[in-house]
Amino acid sequence: MPARWSPELESSRPTRGEREERARAGLEPLGQDERPPALLAAVALSGVLALVVIVGALTIHGLAHRGGSLAGGVFLAAIFALLAVGMYRRRYAAVLAFEAILAFQILVTSLALVVASTILAAALCLLSVGLGGWLFWKLIRVMGRLQAGEPGRHETLR
């Protein structure tokens, strides 16, 4: 039988700030040249996407007729390349920006699953959502460890 609510039980629960402090204390800052596997996977994915976008923009004839432009392709490739470099250099903002792109990809692919017309299309959507979600989840801890290594960061968050 579950315990009923009482003021004593409420006061024995840790506050949000206390839980956050415990979580921060459990995070070990990244070492000098440490790059966790999830961070390296994100760097590789961003680099590959930059190459694929620039090659596609340069080799597809009639790109404007398909809703694209060479300038747009170069811009996207530059964004992905800059994110790859920033994440390799362990910049928190670059990892955060890549996480935002991953979240957008997960949402769009989830919506595409609704209109998937073949089993293969649905399977590819599920694979994309699963892998993107896994990488998103793994990068959260990396971001925490990046933040844990920044001096004075905890005081500015309050």
Side-chain angles (χ1 to χ4, degrees):
M1 179 163 220
R4 295 189 150 206
W5 180 86
S6 69
E8 296 82 30
L9 286 176
E10 185 68 32
S11 64
S12 67
R13 268 202 274 171
T15 65
R16 181 178 179 185
E18 292 169 344
R19 288 191 309 266
E20 289 174 358
E21 284 301 317
R22 277 193 224 149
R24 281 190 196 109
L27 288 175
E28 179 184 327
L30 290 177
Q32 184 67 22
D33 290 326
E34 182 182 3
R35 287 175 183 84
L39 184 62
L40 292 176
V43 168
L45 179 60
S46 189
V48 167
L49 284 173
L51 286 174
V52 167
V53 168
I54 196 70
V55 167
L58 292 173
T59 58
I60 293 178
H61 300 292
L63 188 60
H65 297 293
R66 298 174 189 215
S69 69
L70 181 60
V74 170
F75 177 74
L76 282 176
I79 293 294
F80 281 121
L82 288 172
L83 285 175
V85 170
M87 287 188 293
Y88 187 78
R89 291 182 178 169
R90 301 170 355 159
R91 300 292 188 256
Y92 181 83
V95 179
L96 183 63
F98 189 76
E99 285 245 317
I101 291 172
L102 266 178
F104 181 73
Q105 173 266 326
I106 292 167
L107 287 172
V108 168
T109 310
S110 297
L111 292 173
L113 182 59
V114 173
V115 296
S117 58
T118 65
I119 298 293
L120 177 62
L124 289 174
C125 288
L126 285 173
L127 180 68
S128 179
V129 169
L131 291 176
W134 174 83
L135 185 57
F136 186 93
W137 181 252
K138 291 296 185 178
L139 285 175
I140 290 172
R141 185 160 183 87
V142 171
M143 288 174 38
R145 291 184 67 196
L146 284 169
Q147 257 187 337
E150 294 178 5
R153 177 71 180 172
H154 304 297
E155 289 75 27
T156 61
L157 289 177
R158 293 184 186 159

